[in-house]
Amino acid sequence: MSKIAYIDNQPFEMKDGETILSFIKRNSGEDLVPTLCDAPNLDPYGACRVCSVDVALKSDGPVKAQASCHTPVMEGSYIFPSTPRITKLRKNIVELVLTDHPLDCLTCEVNNNCELQTVAAKVGIRDVRYPAGKNHLDKKKDLSHPYMTSDFSKCINCARCVRACDEVQGQFVLSMAGRGFDSHIIKGMNTTFNESDCVSCGACAQACPTSAISDVFESKSVVPQEKVRTVCTYCGVGCNLDVAVADNKVKSIQAPFDADVNEGHTCLKGRYAFSFYDHPDRLREPMIKKNGKFEEVSWDEAYDFIASRFTEIKKTYGPDYIAGISSARCTNEENYLMQKFMRVVIGTNNIDSCARVCHSPTAIGMQRTFGTGAATNSIIDLQYTDCMMVIGANPTASHPVTGAKMKQVAMKGKTLIIIDPRKTELTKYAQFHLQLRPGTNAAVLNMMLYYIIKEGLEDKAFIESRTEGYEEFKKEILALNIPELEKVSGVDRNLVRDAAVAYASAKNAMSFHGLGVTEHSQGTFTVMLIADLAMITGNIGRRGVGVNPLRGQNNVQGAADMGCQPYQGAGYLDLKDPEVISKYELFYKSPFPKEIGYKIPEMYDASLNDRLKAVWIIGEDLVQTDPNTHHVKKALEKLDLLIVQELFMSETAKMAHVILPGASFLEKSGTFTNGERRIQRVNKVVDPVGNTKADGQIIVDLMNKMGYPEPDYDPAVQLKEISGIVPFFKGVKWEELGINGKQWPVLEDGSDTEILHLDTFKRGKGKFIHNAFKETAEIVDHGKEFPYIITTVRELEHYNSGVMTRRTRNSRILKEDVLLINPEDARKNSIGDGELVTVESARGEIVIKAKISDEMKSGVMSTTFHFPEIMMNVITSSISDSEAKCPEYKVVACRIRKK
Amino acid sequence: MALTKEIRFNDETMALVQRMMKRYPEGKHKSALIPILHIAQAEFDGWLSPEVMDYVASVMKIQPIEVYEVASFYSMFNLKPVGKCLIEVCRTSSCWLLGAEDVIRHLEKKLNIKVGETSADGMFTLKTVECLGSCGTAPMMQVGADYYENLNLEKVDQLVSRFKAEGKRKSYTDQPEPRSL
């Protein structure tokens, strides 16, 4: 029997756990009951009492006013949402609020978009009857921060900001201090936004019903004429953004509450770091370098120049002397077009993308064990998991929205295991922090597997029915030399055992990994060990489990899906298989190259050996971000033709022969695929600035120039073609993606997939493959001479090479790269905080400011690579993952001295 | 006023703090915050500086803001430096009727400060408070853990001289003195 309650004597069915407010909203409309302190993404609170309704146990029984937002609806109760008694009560409450509120609505930034204003109008306030008394109208504004602003004279003490800070971001910067009339919002210990620990996520500004907390873009003002929903261009979380536009200019960005991915939240990059798009530095015209200087040319001249040079090189040397590097920042459709251009128009498999320096080991490692190189589960699974294991990732900085969700889950008491050389923010919430020496992930994971078997915690039924190769695998694990692994990794074996037991005995355990796993000489093998851990404990194929790479760039998943890899075409079809080649030839009605192409690091070697003459790079700054800068520069200098398609004059663009100005994500449409395989619509917000063009259109134009007829760039058109060749895109249609996109594989009928490998692995049975720990050549060859290890990391405020974020106010928050150094190491080398240090490796040296921090263990240092002033990658090595050729950014042997 | 020592509980105090936290079930040790703040206030010059509160947060493994919000709620936590003797004079009805105002004015004059201020020698801070529940012995004041009752101006003079002579910091956590004055 369903349970019933009444609204104005009308019976309605109630749902379990429902509040009176949600019950009324569901049955009598969203707007019937006014609210102030209630917010869609926050827990019920009950501060303002504006949502009060009368409740009775009998239809004509005595009534009692109850705050509907946090009172559970009771079976058989009679609810009267708008009796004269209640409307009078609400009016009185709001009137009292207004006695301590500046009534300067006309000049207020949120005029016409203020919840207090709306509620006051709704309850019919015409006058405030109380005389002016004590108030807070003289509170000073806080304009100290590059983004966040506050004006607490407008605060109504609803605590929505405090709850957003706690429940959404988990930052605990804001709170309510004092009591009674003196209650007021504080930032840290009564400081300013700028001096507090605020991470500028903007959740409080979006939550505030008035303009008491806002931002410099006045994102709650009604100035914009329209809002366009699109997807963030920064990390692989794939936050949906509501972009407010006026007169073809972006005014501000907010996070939509109905977005499955980010549920009304995003970080300071997504919300505030957009102003790069019309920065004066934007490249606005195509340019050709003539006599050593760039000259602006027409698009036609640039196209003619490129087409003739490509044709010439192809004729003289052959198509394999040309290569393309596509961008994980571009849309699926653009990546698809780029690989098609290289393969079908030029006739070479020399096509790669920045996935190479990022998660290529994940793709290969997971393909070998599971059959699919993508996250097995979805971020929503965090709600269902009992244990999170985060390996080599710092999500609160690099994937902030996922990081914030992990903090919330950990604070609810779920187990958190961190395997990382740094004390990342998440370690504060973790039960286990395995602070290993960089380069020894494989050692620690092997130890975990050993203890799981030793303690008899394997999931025997799962191993039996779903996997193969276990017996051989087990033999090798049991033969491990644990004391030796303990010694190299520097992690106490008992701690490893306890963490392994926690992971293996959790009902549902979920692993996450980042570039701290992949960017190693054993990257692919480490990914396979993570997959082994999931299989041995049966953590695959249901809610709250799995192996989940935190994809770095917004569309790094998509770039690989679309075939921007030299050994796999669109849809990961293996180019070594002659049947695949015939399939592509039939599909493209054109000959298809049969030789496997160069991966990015191989392109450098090819150029230096005169085997490569032309490279076309889209949206990647190889010089600043690829390892071993001197080597990269030498290789690029040697090319006959370097085409760089970019937003800004990056370090790589400076070396180009031709520069093509591309359009940013705000200026074009298409789809991005996030880290949980979700294909989401990117919608054009403003017209391309200057004379720039969507990257896809540039590729199409060049295809046509080179005699291959291709229709204009239009995501709907290209997606249709993609769905014909990429198996897991079969049912993807531009018009049907909706506001929240679809997770691949998308079947022909349009249904999508949240969890992979439910009953069977893509490859049939999951395969156990053992990979022993092997010391990287960097340490073996240089460890004696260069005794310290430096590992590269990222900070929240900046994105990779920083070409975009450095051109926003983010650079006021974080101004430079610094070297994090342990106090003991600093003392030994007489280095003081803020002093300059020379860091030297076998490749070269950099000079960088030291920051003394216990975030790193003694012997290990870290730094970011966001600023071209430092050029961190001068010292990183050309060693790369044995399988995927992903560079080993994470282990650099070095020595230091005070400058 | 600069802190006179490093912000760190000595071993004995730390043991006490740990015992306070163990009074509560696992995961609920946050409840020990108020007694621990009293200990911290007594230990670090009679007031809770941001640094002291951060330290308490780190000892208790809770967010600093959780300490600030509690400390700012209760009037017995001082968020600004105070003198060694914080004199809290009750000004609620019974005391007021029996001469609390005279006591306050007398103290202001004698110590050469206004209510809310600290004397130049850092010895005294004068504060008025609401009812301390000792109406039967009004007017009264509290200094540290002790009540001083049935006050008159002469008695106040004696007390001030005595505190000065002792030169000791008075804390809420001191053991109460025997009743007789």
Side-chain angles (χ1 to χ4, degrees), chain A residues 325-327 330 338 616-620 643 645-646 695 699:
Chain A
I325 298 176
S326 192
S327 178
C330 291
M338 183 63 174
W616 176 9
I617 303 168
I618 301 181
E620 186 175 359
I643 307 160
Q645 194 163 314
E646 254 299 348
D695 297 285
I699 302 166

Side-chain angles (χ1 to χ4, degrees), chain A residues 526-825:
Chain A
T526 309
V527 171
M528 289 158 85
L529 287 166
I530 295 170
D532 291 336
L533 270 172
M535 288 194 294
I536 201 171
T537 54
N539 277 312
I540 286 289
R542 60 175 189 277
R543 278 269 180 234
V545 300
V547 178
N548 301 280
L550 293 164
R551 305 305 301 247
Q553 290 167 317
N554 54 326
N555 198 29
V556 68
Q557 181 70 52
D561 295 349
M562 292 301 110
C564 290
Q565 302 196 86
Y567 44 87
Q568 287 171 331
Y572 298 107
L573 305 187
D574 185 358
L575 297 175
K576 276 184 231 135
D577 183 350
E579 265 179 50
V580 165
I581 302 284
S582 337
K583 187 177 170 174
Y584 281 130
E585 285 186 333
L586 196 67
F587 185 76
Y588 291 117
K589 300 187 185 68
S590 149
F592 203 83
K594 291 168 189 66
E595 289 291 313
I596 302 297
Y598 298 132
K599 302 184 181 97
I600 293 174
E602 293 166 346
M603 290 180 192
Y604 302 135
D605 297 335
S607 168
L608 291 169
N609 295 324
D610 290 320
R611 314 258 323 147
L612 189 65
K613 293 290 174 191
V615 178
W616 176 9
I617 303 168
I618 301 181
E620 186 175 359
D621 189 354
L622 299 171
V623 174
Q624 191 180 333
T625 62
D626 265 29
N628 200 351
T629 313
H630 296 318
H631 178 72
V632 173
K633 273 187 154 170
K634 235 186 278 168
L636 296 181
E637 265 161 15
K638 203 145 188 265
L639 293 169
D640 289 351
L641 176 64
L642 177 62
I643 307 160
V644 176
Q645 194 163 314
E646 254 299 348
L647 301 183
F648 295 100
M649 185 59 81
S650 65
E651 300 304 305
T652 308
K654 286 176 189 166
M655 301 183 67
H657 301 101
V658 188
I659 289 181
L660 302 173
S664 76
F665 81 112
L666 292 163
E667 302 152 1
K668 63 187 177 191
S669 296
T671 56
F672 291 157
T673 305
N674 81 349
E676 44 167 15
R677 300 168 275 104
R678 190 187 293 269
I679 308 153
Q680 303 194 96
R681 267 176 77 149
V682 178
N683 296 303
K684 184 174 141 181
V685 178
V686 291
D687 294 327
V689 303
N691 201 7
T692 64
K693 287 187 187 193
D695 297 285
Q697 188 57 45
I698 299 173
I699 302 166
V700 167
D701 288 348
L702 269 167
M703 285 170 123
N704 286 316
K705 261 295 178 229
M706 297 199 54
Y708 185 92
E710 179 75 26
D712 271 349
Y713 178 68
D714 173 357
V717 173
Q718 275 88 36
L719 262 184
K720 191 157 181 236
E721 181 173 330
I722 294 165
S723 67
I725 187 70
V726 174
F728 46 88
F729 266 57
K730 208 164 211 164
V732 176
K733 293 194 182 77
W734 175 251
E735 315 76 45
E736 289 176 9
L737 282 172
I739 52 170
N740 280 310
K742 288 185 176 183
Q743 288 176 275
W744 68 248
V746 181
L747 306 183
E748 202 157 5
D749 64 5
S751 58
D752 69 343
T753 315
E754 275 187 25
I755 303 171
L756 296 180
H757 318 302
L758 278 179
D759 302 312
T760 163
F761 283 99
K762 177 80 194 322
R763 71 181 292 282
K765 288 208 166 187
K767 188 166 186 188
F768 279 103
I769 307 167
H770 179 251
N771 291 291
F773 165 74
K774 183 166 173 273
E775 187 70 270
T776 165
E778 174 74 357
I779 301 290
V780 175
D781 296 347
H782 305 296
K784 279 230 167 70
E785 205 184 337
F786 299 93
Y788 287 92
I789 297 175
I790 191 166
T791 187
T792 66
V793 301
R794 289 189 282 170
E795 289 290 351
L796 169 70
E797 290 79 4
H798 289 290
Y799 192 80
N800 288 358
S801 72
V803 282
M804 289 150 75
T805 47
R806 278 186 280 112
R807 291 181 172 89
T808 67
R809 293 181 178 213
N810 285 30
S811 57
R812 295 195 204 168
I813 304 176
L814 188 75
K815 302 176 181 75
E816 57 190 353
D817 293 326
V818 292
L819 179 76
L820 289 190
I821 179 167
N822 178 280
E824 196 182 315
D825 296 342

